[in-house]
Amino acid sequence: MSAQARHHSLSDMEDGGPAEKRSRVDNNQDSGMPAPTRVTSSTGQKKQTRKKKRKPLPDPCSPEDVLWNDVVSLLGSESVDHKIAQGVEWDSPFGFREEMEVEVSKLSSSGDALALGPVPHSSWVIITPFALPGEKIRVRVYRNSRLHSFADLLDVISTNPELRDNDRIKCQYFGKCSGCQYQVCLFCLLTNWYSTRQMLSYEDQLDIKRDVVIKAYHNFSKIPKSEVPTVHPTIGSPLQYRYRTKITPHFDAPPKRAREAEGANPITTIKPDWLKIGFNEIGKRTVLDIEECPIATPVLNEALGGIRSDIIRNIWSYKRGVSLLLRDSVEANMTDTPDTSDNIDNLSIDMEKHVCITDPKAIIREKVGKKYFEFPGHSFFQNNNSILIPLTDYVRDAIFPTSLELPLDQRPTHLVDAYCGSGLFSIMLSPHFQTVAGIELSADSIKFATHNTSLNKIPEGRCTFRAGDAANIFSVVSEFPRDKTALIIDPPRKGCDENFIDQLVSFRCKTVVYVSCNVHTQARDVGMILDKVQKKDSTEGGGHYVLESLRGFDLFPQTAHVESVAVLRLR
Ligand SMILES: C[S@@+](CC[C@H](N)C(=O)[O-])C[C@H]1O[C@@H](n2cnc3c(N)ncnc32)[C@H](O)[C@@H]1O
């Protein structure tokens, strides 16, 4: 669900009480309809006419669009088409703060409960957080949209014992905190990203994430069903709590009235009531005070206490709110040199000494298997270290499938790493290639990707990195032997642009492994690649891609997000 949609804004809550709000929703302002215009009738009385103006439809593949597809799938496309033909798809039967009981039918791709409205409004969908399929719930509507309304969960009247076990919830802030939304890369801010799944067993979480991958390819890839492989079970994270290596809690500066009441600015050790240091409260713009975050690594939680005390002591000196950065870093140990052999077997990282770094300019160090990665605190690195060996091994095995049993002289020798960050895939897989070329937009990350090749003593000249738009890599690697080249793509949430895809289609190397934290844009891009390659193949020859495999990786346990890996092979 979109951040916009979930965060029923302060104005929703503050400007006017329920009655005023109720009339606003009845007038369809919240549902994208314009305010009624007042005209004077022949009797001199004012009456209202309504000019219908449609709200723009969501951008394809946006979180709103993903949700709309879930709504259509629950209502059935015939019923939806019928409502649209009647022009009533924005006419919600529900008013602001209207309460009702519904039964949850399924979960949306962002992890919210979808229910049909109570009879006679069962061709309208109600969307609520924290409830599970099969549960009877009481909800209160706070916003209407196209054939659906968003509602707060008031009560779970009857639970689904097959799915829900509240004893599994390990976080005291569960149900209130939207913190994870603020802990991921910038593009993840566009989506709601919080811990909604703790009441589920881990196996159920993995199954649900597999369904998200299936649905994404069904709704967004435009690939014929017969050409979409059976999605493999989601690979679980070795750590399901204490895994996040980066958190970004925040706090507001003292409000004016508190400053005035305080007079001077004394140093204090007692936290004023208004001071909250943590993550946003779900559905609000207020901060929820967080003393520990169970999905963050232990060193971050240990540091959080001291950081909070420092803020409390100096709170009166802050003129503005602050967003903090806490990153888990392996302390540099000169006796612990990176492994230079071609063996990238996993080593336990438990022996490492970890520290919490808060300076965005400071260098963070992570260890993945036997390799080290250094990068500035402000730059991108995957946030769940515990699953990086399974993930990079999986990508390696996709490029060198044992099932193909290729003779040595036909094995891939060249790797292209698009959107390479500070070189994770390039460096982890470098022992298996003669030549690796990476590209990445952030010049800082590229500086560190190059540094990481020396840090890991990768033979000189094997890995080269350049800063720039990913599409620029194809002119650099034009001499690579296509039948022995593999391409890894790991773009941000918005996916690849069409220029990149066009050049990929012309380049057409043997294997493409597409890793993505947004399976919906991945499905769209993979569909486009297959389509464009097929058209080119039918006119120019050169082979077409098949979508060989699809699988989710749980980089984000306890949240609704899934990392998806698609493997394309040229035939
Ligand atoms: C999901 S991260 C993956 C990074 C890396 N593969 C890793 O696993 O650490 C996506 C990366 O794409 C970079 N990026 C964003 N837009 C880009 C573009 N147009 N061209 C190249 N890189 C881009 C971002 O800076 C970010 O480092």
Side-chain angles (χ1 to χ4, degrees):
M1 186 194 310
S2 74
Q4 230 180 337
R6 186 186 305 285
H7 286 253
H8 38 123
S9 63
L10 270 186
S11 61
D12 262 3
M13 311 302 292
E14 286 175 354
D15 57 353
E20 182 187 329
K21 281 302 185 176
R22 171 66 190 258
S23 78
R24 276 186 58 192
V25 172
D26 285 346
N27 286 339
N28 274 321
Q29 288 199 338
D30 272 26
S31 49
M33 304 293 287
T37 45
R38 284 193 178 277
V39 295
T40 308
S41 72
S42 53
T43 60
Q45 282 182 323
K46 288 188 174 170
K47 78 173 182 195
Q48 293 187 338
T49 60
R50 184 181 286 157
K51 222 193 311 161
K52 285 199 173 183
K53 190 171 145 221
R54 300 286 170 233
K55 209 177 181 185
L57 296 180
D59 290 336
C61 266
S62 63
E64 294 87 347
D65 191 34
V66 172
L67 183 64
W68 171 247
N69 275 274
D70 283 326
V71 168
V72 173
S73 133
L74 183 56
L75 292 175
S77 44
E78 261 182 41
S79 155
V80 170
D81 289 347
H82 184 63
K83 293 266 181 197
I84 292 173
Q86 288 181 312
V88 296
E89 79 266 31
W90 296 98
D91 295 350
S92 172
F94 306 117
F96 182 70
R97 297 181 72 84
E98 186 163 335
E99 294 184 15
M100 69 198 77
E101 283 180 20
V102 288
E103 181 168 335
V104 179
S105 303
K106 49 160 80 167
L107 292 178
S108 73
S109 293
S110 53
D112 287 304
L114 304 180
L116 295 172
V119 177
H121 302 304
S122 49
S123 47
W124 197 268
V125 175
I126 303 291
I127 296 167
T128 315
F130 304 122
L132 296 173
E135 294 187 332
K136 282 209 176 73
I137 54 175
R138 182 155 190 84
V139 301
R140 182 166 54 213
V141 168
Y142 65 81
R143 174 172 293 160
N144 288 321
S145 189
R146 194 185 187 203
L147 287 174
H148 60 284
S149 300
F150 299 98
D152 289 318
L153 178 67
L154 300 179
D155 192 17
V156 180
I157 299 162
S158 66
T159 60
N160 178 349
E162 279 178 25
L163 287 177
R164 181 185 290 268
D165 178 355
N166 285 345
D167 288 346
R168 293 191 188 111
I169 298 171
K170 294 200 179 154
C171 178
Q172 56 176 308
Y173 309 106
F174 177 71
K176 285 179 273 180
C177 172
S178 69
C180 297
Q181 183 184 356
Y182 297 100
Q183 294 167 26
V184 282
C185 65
L186 183 68
F187 298 100
C188 300
L189 292 178
L190 299 174
T191 64
N192 272 281
W193 210 82
Y194 56 82
S195 310
T196 56
R197 310 263 60 95
Q198 293 182 32
M199 69 290 225
L200 289 164
S201 75
Y202 193 54
E203 290 67 35
D204 285 335
Q205 292 188 35
L206 298 179
D207 286 348
I208 287 168
K209 291 184 186 199
R210 177 171 175 266
D211 287 343
V212 171
V213 177
I214 294 170
K215 267 198 300 179
Y217 274 78
H218 179 264
N219 292 336
F220 295 100
S221 73
K222 299 187 183 152
I223 303 172
K225 213 173 166 185
S226 59
E227 292 173 29
V228 179
T230 304
V231 176
H232 293 303
T234 313
I235 300 287
S237 172
L239 290 179
Q240 293 145 32
Y241 284 92
R242 298 149 60 104
Y243 67 85
R244 277 200 72 92
T245 48
K246 175 188 167 193
I247 56 170
T248 55
H250 53 276
F251 62 94
D252 293 329
K256 200 166 161 229
R257 60 184 150 72
R259 235 183 247 288
E260 283 164 1
E262 199 64 27
N265 292 343
I267 288 187
T268 175
T269 50
I270 300 166
K271 187 171 81 59
D273 278 350
W274 54 264
L275 176 60
K276 315 280 179 200
I277 308 162
F279 307 120
N280 271 22
E281 259 184 278
I282 282 178
K284 297 180 187 171
R285 288 181 191 165
T286 45
V287 182
L288 185 71
D289 200 49
I290 300 279
E291 288 181 350
E292 66 152 355
C293 172
I295 63 170
T297 62
V299 74
L300 300 191
N301 276 312
E302 280 156 28
L304 187 58
I307 291 170
R308 284 172 56 89
S309 301
D310 285 348
I311 294 165
I312 293 165
R313 228 183 346 268
N314 299 307
I315 189 60
W316 300 105
S317 66
Y318 289 96
K319 304 280 178 281
R320 289 193 197 142
V322 173
S323 192
L324 304 163
L325 171 74
L326 282 78
R327 272 197 112 136
D328 189 320
S329 179
V330 171
E331 203 169 50
N333 177 352
M334 300 319 289
T335 58
D336 192 3
T337 50
D339 178 50
T340 52
S341 74
D342 281 5
N343 173 6
I344 57 170
D345 286 349
N346 194 5
L347 267 192
S348 164
I349 59 162
D350 288 346
M351 303 305 290
E352 309 285 336
K353 180 164 169 26
H354 290 247
V355 289
C356 171
I357 304 278
T358 55
D359 178 357
K361 291 191 190 135
I363 305 309
I364 310 297
R365 184 176 244 239
E366 289 217 21
K367 191 173 185 193
V368 184
K370 293 179 179 176
K371 304 273 188 255
Y372 286 102
F373 291 87
E374 291 186 345
F375 50 90
H378 62 79
S379 68
F380 179 89
F381 199 76
Q382 304 287 356
N383 283 327
N384 179 352
N385 184 291
S386 80
I387 198 168
L388 294 183
I389 286 292
L391 178 66
T392 51
D393 278 0
Y394 183 83
V395 172
R396 178 200 61 198
D397 293 348
I399 296 169
F400 299 95
T402 45
S403 56
L404 291 183
E405 286 175 358
L406 288 173
L408 260 183
D409 62 345
Q410 287 171 34
R411 286 167 69 88
T413 50
H414 290 62
L415 176 66
V416 181
D417 185 4
Y419 311 88
C420 67
S422 53
L424 176 70
F425 289 107
S426 293
I427 288 169
M428 293 306 288
L429 272 58
S430 63
H432 307 285
F433 292 94
Q434 285 168 19
T435 308
V436 180
I439 192 160
E440 152 71 46
L441 206 54
S442 156
D444 251 2
S445 293
I446 283 299
K447 196 172 112 193
F448 278 85
T450 305
H451 163 78
N452 289 334
T453 58
S454 353
L455 183 68
N456 289 288
K457 301 195 168 45
I458 309 285
E460 217 172 311
R462 187 180 294 182
C463 297
T464 54
F465 296 100
R466 50 193 46 73
D469 181 68
N472 297 341
I473 196 67
F474 294 104
S475 58
V476 175
V477 299
S478 57
E479 300 298 316
F480 280 19
R482 312 287 162 94
D483 58 334
K484 290 188 180 180
T485 296
L487 166 65
I488 298 174
I489 319 173
D490 184 12
R493 291 190 67 77
K494 68 177 177 179
C496 306
D497 62 29
E498 204 164 341
N499 179 27
F500 179 87
I501 289 178
D502 285 339
Q503 299 206 44
L504 181 158
V505 166
S506 299
F507 184 64
R508 240 181 306 174
C509 61
K510 181 75 186 161
T511 306
V512 177
V513 183
Y514 190 148
V515 180
S516 174
C517 60
N518 183 345
V519 65
H520 307 99
T521 51
Q522 183 196 56
R524 175 202 64 198
D525 292 350
V526 168
M528 206 189 294
I529 294 168
L530 261 52
D531 183 52
K532 286 184 183 241
V533 167
Q534 198 144 29
K535 284 181 183 143
K536 216 172 167 77
D537 186 37
S538 64
T539 54
E540 298 171 17
H544 63 273
Y545 282 121
V546 292
L547 176 53
E548 197 176 89
S549 66
L550 276 173
R551 165 164 252 158
F553 275 75
D554 193 14
L555 264 67
F556 320 103
Q558 319 307 333
T559 79
H561 271 233
V562 60
E563 189 89 1
S564 171
V565 183
V567 180
L568 281 64
R569 198 94 56 191
L570 197 67
R571 293 279 156 81

